[in-house]
Amino acid sequence: MNRFNVRKVAVLGAGVMGAQIAAHLLNLRVPVLLFDLAAKEAPKNSIALKALDGLNKLKPSPIGVASDLALIQPANYEENLDLLAGCDLVIEAIAERMDWKRDLYNLVAPHIAPHAIVASNTSGLSITALSAVLPESLKPRFCGIHFFNPPRYMQLVELIPTASTDPAILDQLETFVTRSLGKSVVRAKDTPNFVANRIGTAGMLATFVEANRFGLSFDVVDDLTGKKLGRASSGTFRTADVVGLDTLAHVIKTLQDTLQDDPFHASFATPAALTALITAGALGQKSKAGFFKKVGKDVLRFDPAKGDYVPAGGKADALIDRMLKKPAAERLKLLRESSNPQAQFLWAILRNGFHYAAVHLAEVADSARDVDLAMRWGFGMKQGVFELWQEAGWQQVAGWVKDDIDAGKALCNAPLPGWVFDGRTGVHTADGSWSAALAKTIRRSTLPVYARQHFPEMLLGEGAQPAINAGTEIYKNDEIRLWTLDGEVLIASITSKMHLIGPGVMEGLLKAVELAEISYDGLVIWSPDEPFSAGANLEAMLPTFMKLGAKGIEPEIKKLQDALLRMRYAAVPTVAAMRGLALGGGCEIALHCAKRVAHLECYVGLVEVGVGLIPGGGGLTYLARRAAENAVAANSTDLLAFLKDGFTAAATAKVGTSALESRQIGYLLDSDVVVAHKDELLFVAIAQVKAMAASNWRAPIKALFSVAGRSGIATIKAQLVGMRDGQFISAHDFHIASLIGDVVCGGEVEAGSLVSEEYLMALERKHFCALLEHPKTQERIMGLLQTGKPVRN
């Protein structure tokens, strides 16, 4: 297969989705043009420019670094169509109108490069119908591409071919979307609303029906159908608000207009509450009102009976909470047999989901695997519908669903397909997943890009060995596992809760460096789940602190510092493969590695201020050393100019909200690698170790470096006084920030004095232990341990 090099992408349409798709392309450093209509008055690109400016207001942010939005090139259809010739991929993302999209294709088709792929971002329109107006030469290079909202954060992208789409083109696009954009692809059939929206929207409409039947309010339903049920925390109606109620209405109308023969069609009626909200202009999050709206600090919910908003806050009954914690088989049985309306509601929506997915599997997807992965990645479900069914006991659940259908309790009387009752125990097996259309089990894709995913997401029943048990184990304790996949690179996987750092982690890291230096090309620190590490295990320190006070903690902090220095100066390359949170001590582990490979959605920071402490594992020492190195590289003696950002980040517990922002703060270097797809992280990290080893990498030589000294401390304190006196920070915040300033400036020495890492780490330990004895810090630590929330005092 020829390599598909994407040098530039054009996004047609600067609406909410188009602009966010452009932003995500730029996050992964893909040059992008953003087209829209030419404004009637100059400047002609003002529509696209306004859309880009609007991205700064979206939360969560669609862009890794806000200033990067200026790198998106605005364009318009009146003046800039010639620019399309330089694009390898064109993504159309205008409004969901068949006629508008076709008119646009007629306009742009003559200007598209003869090798370029053209894809329509649509949530449900027929891709075949859209392609009808394209020149014959372009049809093989055209397909559907359905990003989910918000495009930066949602994992799923559906690719939808037509009968004319060249299979090689689809392979190329899937490879690009997976590797370069970090998305997980499901290939969908060209049926209304494709896979995720077809199953998910039908489920959402069924939830409306059942909520009304059992008299449940929107807030109670969201509590029932959120994390408690293993689904997205936004539940059902908050999810609708995020998607946009007008978008939801369009998807529903597609179901109504195109699926009139669907046996479930009666349940596709547009809910009266949805119509009322749209009529009132309450379109969800984008209009700041939908099923819910926020007034000050109060969250209100829409009450259809009153036609107005009332206070929200309704929750699931405690009985339901207990039921939902049971194993799948017991859980479903309890829900089905309970007389509690909330339990009956939950069984009803689960039953309806099983029923709908089974009846339509052959029509909407190549296999049950595609349905389940689409629901995981597109709707935030912990398990897909078939996974849950299989876990709960396939034949038992099938019998329950059939009984409800026969009793008239289901949404329609369509029988379950015959394959459901063929004696199977599920649809996912080690040999593949069931394809109802082909009446056989089919395996996963073998595209080369998937060879980069050592441990892709697997479904219940597929029988894959969990990553935490994979490879050849070399060493293990209660907090860390050392192992190897290939005998060439050692992998350290932290296994403690939240991958918190305790004595076992420090012991394991020292052991890992020792073993790697003897027998391996290098060391990768990677865990198969998030986070990378949420920091030090404060709770584990409490017994020692209660018995010996801060003097009992000081030796443990010294051990951590020594372990990290040992890692920094190891004779083999050490690489931190980071995803999720890398906070506090987790950040410090990464900072002391020779290199970092970070997933785009990696959140890095020194956050100890939140518990009334300063970084104690060498984080401040790192900031001081890097400032000195950067000053030397810039031929400058103004150390404070290079310390400012690092000091501010540590003093305010600032966390980089993407790998790109973490690089801007200084926790990642320009030489570090940002990976788009989370499941490629280990592959890339191992490759980095091998490349470094092959190029005769050597650890840095220990050297002294200059610090800003007491004059730098005075300057920092003067600024902090203003913040304290202006009541921007508390007196304790002032105290902690002053201690941070003391460390990064090197303490009471002359400006320009040369110090060692060990010297600064001793200052870190001294101040860290002193703060442990401070009542205000103790309040913060206990508050966090008891409530999980930071205490401001």
Side-chain angles (χ1 to χ4, degrees), residues 343-423:
Q344 293 176 344
F345 161 78
L346 285 175
W347 163 248
I349 64 170
L350 292 172
R351 175 204 62 218
N352 295 339
F354 300 145
H355 189 190
Y356 191 88
V359 167
H360 292 294
L361 175 58
E363 176 189 352
V364 305
D366 289 335
S367 73
R369 174 178 52 250
D370 292 334
V371 170
D372 279 352
L373 289 178
M375 299 314 293
R376 276 197 192 187
W377 296 335
F379 277 78
M381 292 186 176
K382 186 177 179 181
Q383 286 183 306
V385 56
F386 289 117
E387 278 189 286
L388 175 59
W389 186 346
Q390 184 165 331
E391 184 185 10
W394 185 271
Q395 293 301 328
Q396 175 70 78
V397 173
W400 289 341
V401 175
K402 181 181 183 302
D403 289 346
D404 278 12
I405 296 170
D406 294 343
K409 296 179 180 179
L411 292 175
C412 71
N413 61 5
L416 291 172
W419 57 263
V420 170
F421 299 103
D422 64 4

Side-chain angles (χ1 to χ4, degrees), residues 185-228:
V185 170
V186 165
R187 293 197 186 187
K189 296 184 178 183
D190 191 12
T191 57
N193 292 347
F194 315 130
V195 180
N197 272 349
R198 177 72 175 273
I199 302 294
T201 305
M204 188 174 285
L205 288 169
T207 301
F208 272 102
V209 171
E210 303 296 354
N212 185 59
R213 179 183 299 175
F214 291 103
L216 303 181
S217 59
F218 298 136
D219 49 356
V220 170
V221 170
D222 272 8
D223 192 50
L224 287 166
T225 61
K227 283 189 174 181
K228 290 182 173 67

